[in-house]
């Protein structure tokens, strides 16, 4: 599949014709995007029109801008930076950025570290007939280069560096192959479709878009501490999703069901693991307007933890993303409110108390140069204070984090920007945790970024 995708991306040898992505708030969507035609160089004739607004989505007869990571949705007015083009009947896209980060996490458990993070994603799509559309996605992460321990991130937990001890107060590295997927959608009417999506790895139908793809947080180089409540399944080693979409008079609706591998990726970040489709996810998404995207989802995840394999997990999530165009040059203001719940089911069937996470995050991008972002999180975490020798199931502690940051981009070339950014965060922990998190609670990050525009 990877070879196929590479071939598709290189098809015809035509260079990607990059386009800027001006926002067109007043532009009405064509009643039937299929009829706008996407063959040959049709796109090249559209001048300043927003390519993402016009290009057809992977999963149904609507504009591509609605689609985020995996099969998730975001508001229709969302914008994407990157290179976009056409070659040999294929619609091609390349998104990506690399962050060079230095983090200074303070307090007794804090550490300093410099690391590289980011991701690169390629997409190739074409129509097989006037009703069927085929899309490939491949996403690569440089995270394995940061080492098996990932990077210091107070109050974060999840996965393992060595197969024996859990990663606590650290963000795990992502796998080199963070998505290799294919989807096929079939239009059953002018405004309805059914689709199938398969990934190895891929993202099942759970949660809001993964944070690396959420406009309200994607410019922040630090992972949210709520990652393992909301969107940690974004790299699942085996996913098959069936779904249906409909654009109706009360907005757009999507219903989908996934089977996926429940086990989180192991510490070998360069491999592809065995796709054992043992877990289930269900999601209902609703975009009532072009600026609002809602979803609620449930997953039953079999044996997610390598270190505690007897435990299963019930997960719930609900989220709302509101995005408003700002200015006329691709600016946006995107805000997400999300809730995620984890309920561990022990081997005997006993359910541990629910652990909730709430996040409110917002980013505003304006003048094509500036992005300012902020985030507040509140998480019930039972892995921060594990008894000696234990690998899971410690006392549940409610912790929080607020952060504020920004990045200023400078154009390097026509489609490449260099950015300088910073993030300042404050950890909020109960007094009982002072031996671990007390003292200076303010952490700081400085970063540089190269990004495709
Ligand atoms: Cu992740």
């Amino acid at each position: 599949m990877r070879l196929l995708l590479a071939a598709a991306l290189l098809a015809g040898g035509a260079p990607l014709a990059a386009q800027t992505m001006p926002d067109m708030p007043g532009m009405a969507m064509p009643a039937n995007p299929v009829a706008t035609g996407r063959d040959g160089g049709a796109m090249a004739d559209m001048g300043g029109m927003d390519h993402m607004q016009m290009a057809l989505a992977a999963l149904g007869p609507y504009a591509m801008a609605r689609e985020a990571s995996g099969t998730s949705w975001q508001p229709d007015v969302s914008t994407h930076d990157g290179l976009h083009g056409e070659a040999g009947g294929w619609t091609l896209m390349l998104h990506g950025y690399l962050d060079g980060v230095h983090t200074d996490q303070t307090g007794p458990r804090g550490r300093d570290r410099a690391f590289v993070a980011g991701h690169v994603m390629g997409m190739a799509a074409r129509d097989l007939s006037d009703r069927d559309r085929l899309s490939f996605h491949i996403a690569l992460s440089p995270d394995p280069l940061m080492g098996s321990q990932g990077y210091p991130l107070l109050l974060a937990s999840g996965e393992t560096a060595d197969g024996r001890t859990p990663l606590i107060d650290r963000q795990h590295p992502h796998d080199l192959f963070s998505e290799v997927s294919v989807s096929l959608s079939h239009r059953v009417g002018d405004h309805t479709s059914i689709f199938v999506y398969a990934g190895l790895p891929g993202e099942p139908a759970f949660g809001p878009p993964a944070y690396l793809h959420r406009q309200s947080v994607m410019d922040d180089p630090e992972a949210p501490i709520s990652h393992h409540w909301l969107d940690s399944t974004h790299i699942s080693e085996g996913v098959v999703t069936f779904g249906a979409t409909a654009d109706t008079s009360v907005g757009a609706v999507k219903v989908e069901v996934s089977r996926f591998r429940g086990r989180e990726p192991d510490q070998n970040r360069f491999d592809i693991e065995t796709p054992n489709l043992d877990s289930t996810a269900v999601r209902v998404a609703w975009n009532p307007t072009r600026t609002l995207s809602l979803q609620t989802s449930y997953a039953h995840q079999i044996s997610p933890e390598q270190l505690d394999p007897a435990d299963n997990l019930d997960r719930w999530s609900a989220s709302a993303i509101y995005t408003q165009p700002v200015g006329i040059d691709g600016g946006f203001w995107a805000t997400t409110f999300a809730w995620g719940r984890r309920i561990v089911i022990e081997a005997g069937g006993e359910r541990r108390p629910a652990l909730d996470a709430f996040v409110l995050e917002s980013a505003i991008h304006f003048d094509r140069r500036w992005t300012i972002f902020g985030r507040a999180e509140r998480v019930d975490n039972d892995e921060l204070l594990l008894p000696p020798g234990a690998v899971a199931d410690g006392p549940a502690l409610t912790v929080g984090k607020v952060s504020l940051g920004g990045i200023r981009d400078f154009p390097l070339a026509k489609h490449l920007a260099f950015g300088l950014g910073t993030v300042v965060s404050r950890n909020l922990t109960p007094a009982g945790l002072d031996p671990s998190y007390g003292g200076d609670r303010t952490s700081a990050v400085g970063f540089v970024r190269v990004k495709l525009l």
Side-chain angles (χ1 to χ4, degrees), residues 171-172 174 211 227 232 234:
Q171 166 63 30
H172 64 79
H174 290 108
Y211 75 92
H227 185 37
S232 58
H234 68 117

Side-chain angles (χ1 to χ4, degrees), residues 314-333:
D314 267 350
R315 306 179 64 153
W316 295 89
S317 87
S319 62
I321 304 176
Y322 175 74
T323 301
Q324 191 65 49
V326 170
I328 54 164
D329 53 2
F332 63 82
W333 175 40

Side-chain angles (χ1 to χ4, degrees), residues 92-162:
L92 305 173
M93 290 197 315
L94 187 65
H95 302 293
Y97 59 87
L98 275 182
D99 288 323
V101 186
H102 186 272
T103 183
D104 177 6
Q105 303 277 299
T106 54
R109 290 191 177 193
R111 298 287 181 271
D112 290 2
R113 178 84 206 268
F115 62 92
V116 172
H119 84 140
V120 178
M121 194 183 86
M123 189 279 288
R126 73 172 300 148
D127 286 341
L128 299 179
S129 73
D130 59 356
R131 289 186 173 272
D132 298 290
R133 188 158 177 83
L134 176 70
S135 304
F136 296 95
H137 287 84
I138 182 168
L140 301 175
S141 169
D143 286 12
L145 300 176
M146 67 176 70
S148 60
Q149 299 271 343
Y151 60 86
L153 186 66
L154 291 172
L155 305 177
S157 65
E159 303 192 10
T160 173
D162 56 8

Side-chain angles (χ1 to χ4, degrees), residues 2-233:
R2 258 173 268 145
L3 280 177
L4 238 178
L5 181 74
L9 286 171
L10 296 171
L16 293 182
Q19 303 193 358
T20 53
M21 307 278 292
D23 177 64
M24 302 285 289
M27 189 180 75
M29 273 298 298
N32 179 0
V34 176
T36 58
R38 297 170 312 284
D39 293 328
M43 278 305 178
D45 300 326
M46 290 182 178
M49 276 195 175
D50 186 339
H51 190 107
M52 295 297 298
Q53 298 281 341
M54 298 304 296
L56 196 58
L59 305 180
Y62 52 83
M64 188 184 285
R66 188 188 296 167
E67 293 185 336
S69 61
T71 58
S72 67
W73 275 2
Q74 60 190 354
D76 292 25
V77 297
S78 303
T79 55
H80 293 245
D81 285 322
L83 305 176
H84 306 77
E86 302 272 333
W90 292 86
T91 299
L92 305 173
M93 290 197 315
L94 187 65
H95 302 293
Y97 59 87
L98 275 182
D99 288 323
V101 186
H102 186 272
T103 183
D104 177 6
Q105 303 277 299
T106 54
R109 290 191 177 193
R111 298 287 181 271
D112 290 2
R113 178 84 206 268
F115 62 92
V116 172
H119 84 140
V120 178
M121 194 183 86
M123 189 279 288
R126 73 172 300 148
D127 286 341
L128 299 179
S129 73
D130 59 356
R131 289 186 173 272
D132 298 290
R133 188 158 177 83
L134 176 70
S135 304
F136 296 95
H137 287 84
I138 182 168
L140 301 175
S141 169
D143 286 12
L145 300 176
M146 67 176 70
S148 60
Q149 299 271 343
Y151 60 86
L153 186 66
L154 291 172
L155 305 177
S157 65
E159 303 192 10
T160 173
D162 56 8
R164 294 184 303 277
T165 51
L167 281 170
I168 296 169
D169 294 313
R170 303 190 76 89
Q171 166 63 30
H172 64 79
H174 290 108
D175 282 33
L176 170 65
F177 292 104
S178 43
E179 181 171 10
V180 181
S181 71
V182 57
S183 64
L184 182 64
S185 68
H186 176 73
R187 206 157 50 82
V188 290
D190 282 352
H191 306 286
T192 53
S193 72
I194 53 176
F195 68 85
V196 56
Y197 162 97
L200 180 60
E203 182 178 318
F206 182 80
Y211 75 92
L212 294 160
H213 301 260
R214 276 202 313 270
Q215 277 195 300
S216 50
V217 67
M218 64 196 293
D219 290 276
D220 187 338
E222 282 191 313
I225 62 170
S226 54
H227 185 37
H228 280 260
W229 279 250
L230 295 177
D231 50 1
S232 58
T233 48

